[in-house]
Amino acid sequence: MNHQLYVDFPLDETNQVLTNLWFMKVIAQYGSPDYFFTGYFRVNETSRLNRSILASITENDTGRPVFAQMIGESIPDLVRTAQELCRDNIAGVDLNMGCPAPRVYRKNVGGGLLREPEKVERILAELRSTVSDRPLTVKMRIGFDNTDTFYEILDKINRHNIDLLSLHGRTVKDMYHGEVRYDLIAEAVKRVDCPVLANGNINSATNAQEVLSQTGAAGVMVGRWAIANPWIFNQIRQALRGEIITPVSLVEVRNYIDRLCQTPNSAAIPVRSRSVSYGESRVGYLKMFLNYIALLVDAEGHFLRLMRKTQTEVELLNLCDRFLLGDSNENFALAPYSKI
């Protein structure tokens, strides 16, 4: 079976930068997924297509198709936005019914839609009649705070001929904690007619291989762990071919961090972090990435703890040099250390 690899980065008010065109290009340097998903276009009565997100479609030179992701609940505006997106060269239109951020689901969008199966029915019906010349896909979780509506919504996925389902095996209230219900992903594979992507804590090539075997899914969707390890897609391909996974040296990881420092708008980001909010300084910006990367650097978590205490960019990069350039023979972990 030729499994497909997709990347969909988590998006909220603090890490929008992780989903933009520039970061897609960085990821592509290490081995692209087969498809990208954009950050989500927020859809409401007054919304217009976000130019930064749109650039990840119109200016994307990674050579990989891009799905345009929408989040909203206003049916006329979802239809309008889908029509606008279909004017561009997109791989398909994706409806987000899985975002677990409270500020999102409280507006009855993202994962909040899972509480209203009949509303989902109406949305899918209208979008399916609108998006007729390319794939219409859905991203969802197994439920809001329980799985009571899980099978009902899967049947609606079938009824409206959705082309691809990305299924995160946790509830919305679980967020990113607790057990991932890969058994329910396997149930979805059996129940729906379209391909299913397994999502949820796909953190290594070995893990991806196990999940694909357990669920029978057509592929995996990787989110946070592609930020930690942009080599993960090539590693998954190697594992699926039965090859030995090529190790990544910590020196290569240090070079990756240098690329993260070279964001096109870096000159406009304040240097220090004490006088501005986390994520608005260059130190905070790099820490957004390093919070993930550090989980594969050392088993004791020393790098993670010291990294979080740094206050200046120079201090932070010197710490990176100390941990990542000290031994040229030391390799990045193939999976995150479990006890950090």
Side-chain angles (χ1 to χ4, degrees):
M1 184 176 182
N2 185 21
H3 295 99
Q4 298 291 302
L5 310 180
Y6 294 70
V7 65
D8 173 64
F9 301 115
L11 176 70
D12 59 31
E13 296 300 328
T14 63
N15 64 9
Q16 293 183 49
V17 69
L18 303 186
T19 70
N20 63 18
L21 172 63
W22 167 79
F23 191 62
M24 288 181 179
K25 290 184 175 184
V26 172
I27 287 285
Q29 295 174 11
Y30 298 99
S32 288
D34 296 300
Y35 297 87
F36 284 106
F37 280 71
T38 67
Y40 50 67
F41 291 92
R42 291 177 171 85
V43 177
N44 53 51
E45 292 79 0
T46 61
S47 65
R48 295 295 179 266
L49 294 182
N50 180 294
R51 291 184 179 181
S52 176
I53 299 175
L54 193 61
S56 66
I57 299 166
T58 59
E59 300 174 28
N60 196 311
D61 59 359
T62 63
R64 293 295 193 260
V66 183
F67 284 84
Q69 180 182 180
M70 304 188 302
I71 193 165
E73 55 86 30
S74 168
I75 295 176
D77 297 297
L78 285 167
V79 168
R80 167 179 58 82
T81 303
Q83 290 170 334
E84 293 171 355
L85 289 168
C86 285
R87 295 170 191 157
D88 289 304
N89 184 27
I90 58 173
V93 174
D94 183 67
L95 176 66
N96 183 309
M97 299 199 306
C99 181
R103 71 182 70 190
V104 171
Y105 71 66
R106 285 173 187 152
K107 298 176 183 177
N108 207 37
V109 302
L113 282 174
L114 297 177
R115 294 175 293 193
E116 295 192 43
E118 294 311 312
K119 182 68 174 285
V120 170
E121 175 96 54
R122 297 195 300 274
I123 290 174
L124 294 182
E126 292 295 330
L127 286 179
R128 180 72 284 177
S129 65
T130 300
V131 182
S132 57
D133 63 342
R134 66 196 73 202
L136 174 63
T137 69
V138 168
K139 182 181 298 92
M140 63 177 275
R141 288 182 172 234
I142 58 175
F144 184 75
D145 53 6
N146 57 53
T147 60
D148 289 353
T149 64
F150 179 60
Y151 293 105
E152 181 180 0
I153 291 179
L154 289 184
D155 289 342
K156 297 181 189 305
I157 297 289
N158 258 353
R159 187 174 303 129
H160 296 290
N161 299 312
I162 299 306
D163 296 291
L164 178 73
L165 171 63
S166 307
L167 182 58
H168 187 123
R170 295 185 177 102
T171 67
V172 172
K173 283 300 190 75
D174 285 337
M175 296 193 71
Y176 298 102
H177 310 292
E179 178 189 4
V180 181
R181 294 290 305 274
Y182 297 119
D183 60 319
L184 288 183
I185 297 178
E187 288 293 316
V189 169
K190 297 173 185 175
R191 194 172 184 104
V192 300
D193 297 328
C194 66
V196 176
L197 299 181
N199 181 223
N201 208 36
I202 308 295
N203 60 21
S204 70
T206 300
N207 170 251
Q209 190 174 30
E210 291 170 350
V211 168
L212 288 169
S213 176
Q214 179 181 346
T215 63
V220 294
M221 176 172 282
V222 183
R224 294 168 294 157
W225 297 110
I227 296 167
N229 175 15
W231 297 270
I232 193 170
F233 301 106
N234 278 346
Q235 291 173 345
I236 292 172
R237 292 183 181 105
Q238 288 178 319
L240 292 176
R241 292 194 298 262
E243 300 170 3
I244 296 174
I245 298 171
T246 304
V248 175
S249 71
L250 290 183
V251 174
E252 290 181 83
V253 177
R254 182 64 182 86
N255 291 335
Y256 169 46
I257 294 170
D258 275 341
R259 286 196 171 95
L260 298 178
C261 293
Q262 295 164 10
T263 173
N265 64 344
S266 60
I269 305 175
V271 173
R272 292 186 62 83
S273 61
R274 283 182 174 173
S275 61
V276 293
S277 65
Y278 183 84
E280 292 181 351
S281 70
R282 286 207 294 273
V283 173
Y285 167 83
L286 287 172
K287 284 181 179 181
M288 287 193 297
F289 295 92
L290 287 166
N291 274 319
Y292 297 107
I293 295 169
L295 300 176
L296 290 90
V297 171
D298 69 292
E300 295 77 22
H302 297 317
F303 177 60
L304 178 65
R305 287 189 289 273
L306 292 172
M307 177 273 294
R308 288 177 172 172
K309 293 178 181 179
T310 58
Q311 295 293 330
T312 70
E313 186 177 2
V314 170
E315 183 184 1
L316 178 58
L317 294 180
N318 283 342
L319 182 72
C320 290
D321 288 346
R322 173 183 155 195
F323 274 84
L324 303 175
L325 301 181
D327 184 350
S328 60
N329 296 316
E330 195 168 350
N331 292 326
F332 205 35
L334 294 176
Y337 291 108
S338 60
K339 295 183 179 181
I340 299 179

